[in-house]
Coordinates of all heavy atoms in Angstrom, one line a residue:
M90 N 17.2 5.0 12.8 CA 17.2 4.7 11.4 C 17.3 6.0 10.6 O 17.1 7.1 11.2 CB 15.9 4.0 11.0 CG 15.6 2.7 11.7 SD 16.7 1.3 11.3 CE 16.2 1.0 9.6
S91 N 17.7 5.9 9.4 CA 17.9 7.0 8.5 C 16.5 7.3 7.9 O 15.6 6.5 7.8 CB 18.9 6.8 7.5 OG 18.5 5.9 6.5
A92 N 16.4 8.5 7.3 CA 15.1 8.9 6.6 C 14.9 8.1 5.4 O 13.8 8.0 4.9 CB 15.2 10.4 6.3
D93 N 15.9 7.4 4.9 CA 15.8 6.6 3.7 C 14.8 5.4 3.9 O 14.3 4.8 3.0 CB 17.1 6.1 3.2 CG 18.0 7.2 2.7 OD1 17.5 8.3 2.3 OD2 19.2 7.0 2.7
A94 N 14.7 5.0 5.2 CA 13.8 3.9 5.5 C 12.3 4.2 5.4 O 11.5 3.3 5.4 CB 14.1 3.4 7.0
L95 N 12.0 5.5 5.3 CA 10.5 5.9 5.2 C 10.0 5.7 3.8 O 10.1 6.6 3.0 CB 10.4 7.3 5.7 CG 10.9 7.5 7.1 CD1 10.7 9.0 7.5 CD2 10.1 6.7 8.1
L96 N 9.6 4.5 3.4 CA 9.1 4.2 2.1 C 7.6 4.1 2.0 O 6.9 3.9 3.0 CB 9.7 2.8 1.6 CG 11.3 2.7 1.6 CD1 11.7 1.3 1.3 CD2 11.8 3.7 0.6
P97 N 7.0 4.3 0.8 CA 5.6 4.1 0.6 C 5.2 2.7 1.1 O 5.9 1.7 0.8 CB 5.4 4.3 -0.9 CG 6.5 5.2 -1.3 CD 7.7 4.8 -0.4
G98 N 4.1 2.6 1.8 CA 3.6 1.3 2.3 C 4.0 1.0 3.7 O 3.4 0.1 4.3
L99 N 4.9 1.8 4.3 CA 5.3 1.7 5.7 C 4.3 2.2 6.6 O 3.8 3.3 6.4 CB 6.7 2.4 5.9 CG 7.3 2.2 7.2 CD1 7.7 0.8 7.5 CD2 8.5 3.1 7.4
R100 N 3.9 1.4 7.6 CA 3.0 1.9 8.7 C 3.8 2.6 9.8 O 4.7 2.0 10.4 CB 2.1 0.8 9.2 CG 1.1 1.2 10.2 CD 0.1 0.1 10.6 NE -0.9 0.6 11.5 CZ -2.0 1.2 11.2 NH1 -2.2 1.4 9.9 NH2 -2.9 1.6 12.1
V101 N 3.5 3.9 10.0 CA 4.3 4.7 11.0 C 3.4 5.4 12.0 O 2.2 5.5 11.8 CB 5.1 5.7 10.2 CG1 6.1 5.1 9.2 CG2 4.3 6.7 9.5
E102 N 4.1 5.8 13.0 CA 3.4 6.8 14.0 C 4.3 8.0 14.1 O 5.5 7.9 14.5 CB 3.3 6.1 15.4 CG 2.7 7.1 16.4 CD 2.6 6.5 17.8 OE1 2.0 5.4 17.9 OE2 3.1 7.1 18.7
A103 N 3.8 9.1 13.6 CA 4.6 10.4 13.5 C 4.1 11.3 14.7 O 2.9 11.5 14.8 CB 4.5 11.1 12.2
Q104 N 5.0 11.8 15.5 CA 4.7 12.7 16.6 C 5.4 14.1 16.3 O 6.5 14.1 15.9 CB 5.1 12.1 17.9 CG 4.5 10.7 18.2 CD 5.1 10.1 19.4 OE1 5.9 10.8 20.2 NE2 4.8 8.9 19.7
G105 N 4.7 15.2 16.7 CA 5.4 16.5 16.5 C 4.4 17.6 16.8 O 3.4 17.4 17.6
K106 N 4.6 18.7 16.1 CA 3.7 19.9 16.3 C 3.2 20.4 14.9 O 3.9 20.2 13.9 CB 4.5 21.0 17.0 CG 4.8 20.8 18.4 CD 5.5 22.0 19.1 CE 5.8 21.7 20.6 NZ 6.5 22.9 21.2
G107 N 2.0 21.0 14.9 CA 1.5 21.6 13.7 C 2.3 22.8 13.3 O 2.8 23.5 14.1
N108 N 2.4 23.1 12.0 CA 3.0 24.3 11.5 C 2.0 25.3 10.9 O 0.8 25.0 10.8 CB 4.2 24.0 10.6 CG 3.8 23.3 9.3 OD1 2.6 23.3 9.0 ND2 4.7 22.6 8.7
E109 N 2.5 26.4 10.3 CA 1.6 27.4 9.7 C 0.8 26.9 8.5 O -0.2 27.4 8.1 CB 2.4 28.7 9.3 CG 3.0 29.4 10.5 CD 4.3 28.7 11.0 OE1 4.8 27.8 10.3 OE2 4.8 29.0 12.1
K110 N 1.4 25.8 7.9 CA 0.7 25.3 6.6 C -0.3 24.2 7.0 O -0.9 23.6 6.1 CB 1.8 24.6 5.7 CG 2.8 25.6 5.3 CD 3.9 24.9 4.4 CE 5.0 25.8 3.9 NZ 6.0 25.0 3.1
G111 N -0.5 23.9 8.3 CA -1.5 22.9 8.6 C -0.8 21.5 8.5 O -1.5 20.5 8.5
E112 N 0.5 21.4 8.4 CA 1.2 20.1 8.3 C 1.8 19.8 9.7 O 1.9 20.6 10.6 CB 2.3 20.2 7.3 CG 1.7 20.6 5.9 CD 2.8 20.9 4.9 OE1 4.0 21.1 5.3 OE2 2.5 21.0 3.7
L113 N 2.2 18.5 9.8 CA 2.8 18.1 11.1 C 4.4 18.1 10.9 O 4.9 17.3 10.2 CB 2.4 16.7 11.5 CG 2.9 16.1 12.8 CD1 2.3 16.9 14.0 CD2 2.6 14.6 12.9
A114 N 5.0 19.0 11.7 CA 6.5 19.0 11.7 C 6.9 17.9 12.7 O 6.8 18.0 13.9 CB 7.0 20.4 12.2
A115 N 7.5 16.8 12.2 CA 7.7 15.6 12.9 C 8.9 15.7 13.8 O 10.0 16.2 13.4 CB 7.9 14.4 12.0
E116 N 8.8 15.4 15.1 CA 9.9 15.3 16.0 C 10.3 13.8 16.2 O 11.5 13.6 16.4 CB 9.5 15.8 17.4 CG 9.1 17.3 17.4 CD 8.5 17.7 18.7 OE1 8.3 16.9 19.6 OE2 8.2 18.9 18.8
K117 N 9.4 12.9 16.0 CA 9.7 11.5 16.1 C 8.9 10.7 15.1 O 7.7 11.0 15.0 CB 9.5 11.0 17.5 CG 9.9 9.5 17.8 CD 9.5 9.1 19.2 CE 10.3 9.8 20.2 NZ 10.0 9.3 21.6
V118 N 9.5 9.6 14.5 CA 8.7 8.7 13.6 C 9.1 7.3 14.0 O 10.2 6.9 14.0 CB 9.0 8.9 12.1 CG1 8.2 7.9 11.3 CG2 8.7 10.4 11.7
L119 N 8.1 6.5 14.4 CA 8.3 5.1 14.9 C 7.6 4.1 13.9 O 6.6 4.4 13.3 CB 7.7 4.9 16.3 CG 8.1 5.8 17.4 CD1 7.3 5.6 18.6 CD2 9.6 5.6 17.7
F120 N 8.3 3.0 13.7 CA 7.7 1.9 12.9 C 8.3 0.6 13.4 O 9.3 0.5 14.1 CB 7.9 2.1 11.4 CG 9.3 2.2 11.0 CD1 10.1 1.2 10.5 CD2 10.0 3.5 11.0 CE1 11.4 1.3 10.1 CE2 11.3 3.6 10.6 CZ 12.0 2.6 10.2
D121 N 7.7 -0.6 13.0 CA 8.2 -1.9 13.4 C 8.9 -2.7 12.3 O 8.7 -2.4 11.1 CB 7.1 -2.7 14.1 CG 5.9 -2.9 13.2 OD1 6.2 -3.2 12.0 OD2 4.8 -2.8 13.7
P122 N 9.6 -3.8 12.6 CA 10.3 -4.5 11.6 C 9.4 -5.1 10.5 O 9.7 -5.2 9.4 CB 11.1 -5.6 12.4 CG 11.2 -5.1 13.7 CD 10.0 -4.3 14.0
T123 N 8.2 -5.6 11.0 CA 7.3 -6.3 10.0 C 6.9 -5.3 9.0 O 6.9 -5.6 7.8 CB 6.1 -6.8 10.8 OG1 6.6 -7.8 11.8 CG2 5.2 -7.5 9.8
S124 N 6.5 -4.1 9.4 CA 6.0 -3.1 8.4 C 7.2 -2.7 7.5 O 7.0 -2.5 6.3 CB 5.5 -1.9 9.1 OG 5.0 -0.9 8.2
M125 N 8.4 -2.6 8.0 CA 9.5 -2.2 7.2 C 9.8 -3.2 6.1 O 10.1 -2.9 5.0 CB 10.8 -2.0 8.1 CG 12.0 -1.6 7.3 SD 13.4 -1.2 8.3 CE 13.8 -2.9 8.9
K126 N 9.7 -4.5 6.5 CA 10.0 -5.6 5.5 C 9.0 -5.5 4.3 O 9.3 -5.6 3.2 CB 9.9 -7.0 6.1 CG 11.0 -7.3 7.1 CD 12.2 -7.7 6.4 CE 13.3 -8.2 7.3 NZ 14.5 -8.6 6.6
A127 N 7.7 -5.3 4.7 CA 6.6 -5.3 3.7 C 6.8 -4.1 2.8 O 6.6 -4.1 1.6 CB 5.3 -5.3 4.4
S128 N 7.1 -2.9 3.4 CA 7.2 -1.7 2.6 C 8.4 -1.8 1.6 O 8.3 -1.2 0.5 CB 7.4 -0.5 3.5 OG 8.7 -0.5 4.2
R129 N 9.5 -2.4 2.0 CA 10.6 -2.6 1.0 C 10.2 -3.4 -0.2 O 10.6 -3.1 -1.3 CB 11.8 -3.2 1.7 CG 12.5 -2.3 2.7 CD 13.6 -3.0 3.4 NE 14.4 -2.1 4.2 CZ 15.4 -2.4 5.1 NH1 15.7 -3.7 5.2 NH2 16.0 -1.5 5.8
Q130 N 9.4 -4.4 0.1 CA 9.0 -5.3 -1.0 C 8.0 -4.6 -2.0 O 8.0 -4.9 -3.2 CB 8.3 -6.6 -0.5 CG 9.3 -7.4 0.4 CD 8.5 -8.5 1.1 OE1 7.5 -8.9 0.7 NE2 9.1 -8.9 2.3
I131 N 7.2 -3.7 -1.5 CA 6.2 -3.1 -2.4 C 6.6 -1.7 -2.9 O 5.9 -1.1 -3.6 CB 4.8 -3.0 -1.6 CG1 5.0 -2.1 -0.4 CG2 4.3 -4.3 -1.3 CD1 3.7 -1.9 0.4
D132 N 7.8 -1.2 -2.4 CA 8.2 0.1 -2.8 C 8.3 0.3 -4.3 O 7.9 1.3 -4.9 CB 9.6 0.4 -2.2 CG 10.0 1.8 -2.6 OD1 9.3 2.8 -2.4 OD2 11.2 1.9 -3.1
A133 N 8.8 -0.8 -5.0 CA 9.0 -0.7 -6.5 C 7.6 -0.7 -7.2 O 7.5 -0.2 -8.3 CB 9.8 -1.9 -7.0
R134 N 6.6 -1.2 -6.5 CA 5.2 -1.2 -7.1 C 4.5 0.2 -6.9 O 3.7 0.6 -7.7 CB 4.4 -2.3 -6.5 CG 5.0 -3.7 -6.7 CD 4.1 -4.7 -6.0 NE 4.8 -6.0 -6.1 CZ 4.6 -6.9 -7.1 NH1 3.7 -6.5 -8.1 NH2 5.2 -8.0 -7.2
V135 N 4.8 0.9 -5.8 CA 4.1 2.1 -5.5 C 4.5 3.2 -6.4 O 3.7 4.1 -6.9 CB 4.4 2.5 -4.0 CG1 3.8 3.9 -3.7 CG2 3.8 1.5 -3.1
S136 N 5.8 3.3 -6.8 CA 6.4 4.3 -7.7 C 5.6 4.4 -9.0 O 5.2 5.5 -9.4 CB 7.9 4.2 -7.9 OG 8.5 4.3 -6.7
P137 N 5.4 3.3 -9.7 CA 4.6 3.4 -11.0 C 3.2 3.9 -10.7 O 2.6 4.6 -11.6 CB 4.7 2.0 -11.5 CG 5.8 1.3 -10.9 CD 6.0 2.0 -9.5
I138 N 2.6 3.5 -9.6 CA 1.2 3.9 -9.3 C 1.2 5.4 -9.1 O 0.3 6.1 -9.6 CB 0.7 3.2 -8.1 CG1 0.6 1.7 -8.3 CG2 -0.7 3.8 -7.6 CD1 0.2 0.9 -7.1
E139 N 2.2 6.0 -8.4 CA 2.2 7.4 -8.2 C 2.4 8.2 -9.5 O 1.9 9.2 -9.8 CB 3.3 7.8 -7.2 CG 3.1 7.3 -5.8 CD 4.2 7.6 -4.9 OE1 5.3 7.8 -5.4 OE2 4.0 7.6 -3.7
G140 N 3.2 7.6 -10.4 CA 3.4 8.2 -11.8 C 2.1 8.3 -12.5 O 1.8 9.3 -13.2
R141 N 1.3 7.2 -12.4 CA 0.0 7.2 -13.2 C -0.9 8.2 -12.5 O -1.7 8.9 -13.3 CB -0.6 5.8 -13.1 CG 0.1 4.7 -13.9 CD -0.5 3.4 -13.7 NE -1.9 3.4 -14.1 CZ -2.7 2.3 -13.9 NH1 -2.3 1.3 -13.3 NH2 -3.9 2.4 -14.3
T142 N -0.9 8.4 -11.2 CA -1.8 9.4 -10.6 C -1.4 10.8 -11.0 O -2.3 11.6 -11.3 CB -1.6 9.3 -9.0 OG1 -1.9 7.9 -8.6 CG2 -2.5 10.2 -8.3
A143 N -0.1 11.0 -11.1 CA 0.3 12.4 -11.6 C -0.2 12.6 -13.0 O -0.6 13.7 -13.4 CB 1.8 12.5 -11.6
G144 N -0.2 11.5 -13.9 CA -0.7 11.7 -15.2 C -2.1 12.0 -15.3 O -2.6 12.8 -16.1
L145 N -2.9 11.4 -14.4 CA -4.3 11.7 -14.3 C -4.6 13.1 -13.9 O -5.5 13.7 -14.3 CB -5.0 10.7 -13.3 CG -5.0 9.2 -13.8 CD1 -5.6 8.3 -12.7 CD2 -5.8 9.1 -15.1
E146 N -3.8 13.6 -13.0 CA -3.9 15.0 -12.5 C -3.7 16.0 -13.7 O -4.3 17.0 -13.9 CB -3.0 15.3 -11.4 CG -3.4 14.6 -10.1 CD -2.3 14.8 -9.0 OE1 -1.2 15.4 -9.3 OE2 -2.6 14.5 -7.8
G147 N -2.7 15.6 -14.6 CA -2.5 16.4 -15.8 C -3.6 16.4 -16.7 O -3.9 17.5 -17.3
K148 N -4.4 15.3 -16.8 CA -5.5 15.3 -17.7 C -6.6 16.2 -17.1 O -7.4 16.7 -17.9 CB -6.1 13.8 -17.8 CG -5.2 12.9 -18.6 CD -5.8 11.5 -18.7 CE -4.9 10.6 -19.5 NZ -5.4 9.3 -19.7
T149 N -6.7 16.3 -15.8 CA -7.7 17.3 -15.2 C -7.5 18.7 -15.7 O -8.4 19.4 -16.1 CB -7.6 17.2 -13.7 OG1 -7.8 15.9 -13.3 CG2 -8.7 18.1 -13.1
G150 N -6.2 19.1 -15.8 CA -5.9 20.4 -16.2 C -6.2 20.6 -17.7 O -6.7 21.7 -18.1
Q151 N -6.0 19.5 -18.5 CA -6.4 19.6 -19.9 C -7.9 19.8 -20.1 O -8.4 20.5 -20.9 CB -6.0 18.3 -20.6 CG -4.4 18.2 -20.7 CD -4.0 16.9 -21.3 OE1 -4.9 16.1 -21.7 NE2 -2.7 16.6 -21.3
L152 N -8.7 19.1 -19.2 CA -10.2 19.2 -19.3 C -10.6 20.6 -19.0 O -11.6 21.1 -19.6 CB -10.8 18.2 -18.4 CG -10.6 16.7 -18.7 CD1 -11.3 15.8 -17.7 CD2 -11.2 16.4 -20.1
E153 N -10.0 21.2 -18.0 CA -10.3 22.6 -17.6 C -10.0 23.6 -18.7 O -10.8 24.5 -19.0 CB -9.6 23.0 -16.3 CG -10.0 22.2 -15.1 CD -9.2 22.6 -13.9 OE1 -8.1 23.2 -14.1 OE2 -9.6 22.2 -12.8
G154 N -8.9 23.3 -19.5 CA -8.6 24.1 -20.6 C -9.6 24.0 -21.7 O -9.9 25.0 -22.3

Side-chain angles (χ1 to χ4, degrees):
M90 303 292 290
S91 70
D93 295 336
L95 302 178
L96 301 174
L99 183 66
R100 184 173 180 83
V101 299
E102 177 182 307
Q104 305 173 6
K106 292 182 179 179
N108 61 21
E109 298 77 14
K110 299 179 181 178
E112 301 169 349
L113 183 67
E116 299 171 357
K117 182 187 296 184
V118 178
L119 302 173
F120 56 96
D121 58 42
T123 301
S124 181
M125 181 175 69
K126 290 279 186 180
S128 67
R129 286 178 176 174
Q130 296 167 27
I131 61 181
D132 180 55
R134 301 176 184 271
V135 175
S136 296
I138 294 173
E139 292 176 341
R141 290 177 60 189
T142 303
L145 293 174
E146 291 175 349
K148 289 183 179 180
T149 304
Q151 295 175 4
L152 294 177
E153 293 175 349

